[in-house]
């Protein structure tokens, strides 16, 4: 999807096989963001409500609200790229670069409205979803994507369902993945035996 939106260069997503420190040694480096997919169980919904109190508007970061259903993956991708924009390279006709430039000085709510009206991004989203990666499971448990990024030495969590990003404190390039994974382990622990978690990192590949 990132390629279809016109993000070029050597930054690509890679699977995270586990959130423990020894498992994270296999993650390609450098990496600048992490996306976590988790089931919206009752326990995690309650935890998210508690986290909402820590969310606040931050001028140093790019944040967009999620107003459309089933768009959390696209929102997480936007947060991932937007908050690493200086590291990215974009195709000349990049759909995503155009959107980010147009919404740079907007509020989170106005960015959401602009996204709702962006037919090009919607078409890419629908095209990827139609490939069969996004079909719901039989038990109808909802899943949700959030993103983590290092912005100016601070670890931020981005969830479009909140009113702003959550600052988890200081981080740095060589500890980012460990710091983000620590927050993610908190989700797993609160899920009380639920195993349906998945994570990917945005990392720089050796070949373009």
């Amino acid at each position: 999807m990132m390629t279809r939106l016109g993000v070029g260069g050597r930054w690509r997503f890679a699977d995270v096989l586990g959130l423990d420190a020894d498992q994270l040694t296999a993650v390609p480096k450098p990496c600048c963001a992490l996306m976590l997919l988790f089931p919206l169980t009752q326990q995690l919904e309650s935890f998210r409500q508690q986290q909402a109190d820590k969310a606040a508007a931050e001028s140093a970061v790019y944040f967009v609200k999620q107003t459309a259903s089933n768009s959390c993956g696209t929102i997480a991708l936007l947060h991932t790229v937007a908050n690493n924009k200086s590291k990215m390279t974009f195709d000349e006709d990049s759909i995503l670069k155009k959107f980010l430039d147009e919404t740079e000085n907007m509020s989170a709510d106005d960015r959401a409205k602009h996204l709702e009206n962006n037919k090009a991004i919607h078409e890419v989203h629908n095209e990827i979803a139609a490939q069969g990666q996004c079909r719901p499971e039989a038990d109808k448990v909802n899943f949700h994507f959030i993103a983590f990024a290092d912005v100016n030495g601070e670890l931020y969590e981005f969830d479009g369902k909140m009113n702003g990003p959550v600052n988890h404190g200081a981080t740095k390039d060589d500890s980012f993945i460990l710091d983000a994974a620590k927050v993610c382990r908190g989700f797993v622990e609160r899920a009380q035996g639920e195993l349906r978690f998945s994570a990917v990192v945005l990392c720089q590949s050796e070949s373009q």
Side-chain angles (χ1 to χ4, degrees), residues 39-49 190:
L40 286 173
T41 62
Q42 182 177 350
Q43 295 93 334
L44 287 175
E45 284 278 26
S46 177
F47 173 59
R48 300 311 285 153
Q49 292 172 6
R190 289 175 177 85

Side-chain angles (χ1 to χ4, degrees), residues 105-149:
N105 297 315
M106 291 184 182
S107 67
D109 290 309
D110 287 342
R111 287 167 180 162
K113 293 175 184 176
H114 201 65
L115 180 60
E116 287 179 7
N117 296 321
N118 192 299
K119 292 182 179 180
I121 294 179
H122 285 193
E123 288 174 0
V124 173
H125 170 90
N126 291 337
E127 177 186 320
I128 300 300
Q131 294 177 7
Q133 298 290 327
C134 306
R135 289 174 295 191
E137 297 185 10
D139 60 7
K140 297 182 179 179
V141 171
N142 289 321
F143 289 80
H144 188 55
F145 265 115
I146 59 175
F148 297 86

Side-chain angles (χ1 to χ4, degrees), residues 15-16 35 52 58 62 78 84 87 98 111 169-170 180 196:
D15 290 323
V16 176
M35 288 171 54
E58 293 270 1
Y62 184 102
L78 285 175
N84 288 287
K87 299 184 180 76
K98 185 174 185 290
R111 287 167 180 162
R196 289 173 293 179

Side-chain angles (χ1 to χ4, degrees), residues 19-197:
L19 296 171
D20 293 328
D22 57 339
Q23 296 170 311
L24 294 171
T25 59
V27 172
K29 293 181 177 61
C31 58
C32 65
L34 181 149
M35 288 171 54
L36 176 70
L37 178 70
F38 61 92
L40 286 173
T41 62
Q42 182 177 350
Q43 295 93 334
L44 287 175
E45 284 278 26
S46 177
F47 173 59
R48 300 311 285 153
Q49 292 172 6
Q50 296 172 24
Q51 286 288 90
D53 295 334
K54 300 178 182 179
E58 293 270 1
S59 59
V61 303
Y62 184 102
F63 184 80
V64 57
K65 290 279 195 70
Q66 179 187 340
T67 54
S69 60
N70 299 320
S71 64
C72 59
T74 298
I75 296 292
L77 179 61
L78 285 175
H79 284 140
T80 295
V81 176
N83 288 289
N84 288 287
K85 190 178 176 183
S86 63
K87 299 184 180 76
M88 303 288 112
T89 57
F90 297 89
D91 298 341
E92 186 176 344
D93 58 348
S94 171
I95 297 169
L96 186 51
K97 174 69 160 52
K98 185 174 185 290
F99 176 82
L100 295 178
D101 289 344
E102 291 173 346
T103 60
E104 183 176 3
N105 297 315
M106 291 184 182
S107 67
D109 290 309
D110 287 342
R111 287 167 180 162
K113 293 175 184 176
H114 201 65
L115 180 60
E116 287 179 7
N117 296 321
N118 192 299
K119 292 182 179 180
I121 294 179
H122 285 193
E123 288 174 0
V124 173
H125 170 90
N126 291 337
E127 177 186 320
I128 300 300
Q131 294 177 7
Q133 298 290 327
C134 306
R135 289 174 295 191
E137 297 185 10
D139 60 7
K140 297 182 179 179
V141 171
N142 289 321
F143 289 80
H144 188 55
F145 265 115
I146 59 175
F148 297 86
D150 172 3
V151 183
N152 299 326
E154 299 288 326
L155 174 62
Y156 283 96
E157 174 187 333
F158 299 92
D159 183 344
K161 288 188 172 182
M162 292 191 177
N163 291 322
V166 177
N167 188 329
H168 287 284
T171 190
K172 50 190 176 181
D173 289 347
D174 58 0
S175 68
F176 163 74
I177 188 65
L178 293 170
D179 297 333
K182 181 179 179 180
V183 178
C184 293
R185 287 199 299 273
F187 283 78
V188 177
E189 291 164 1
R190 289 175 177 85
Q192 300 179 0
E194 172 63 68
L195 299 176
R196 289 173 293 179
F197 288 82

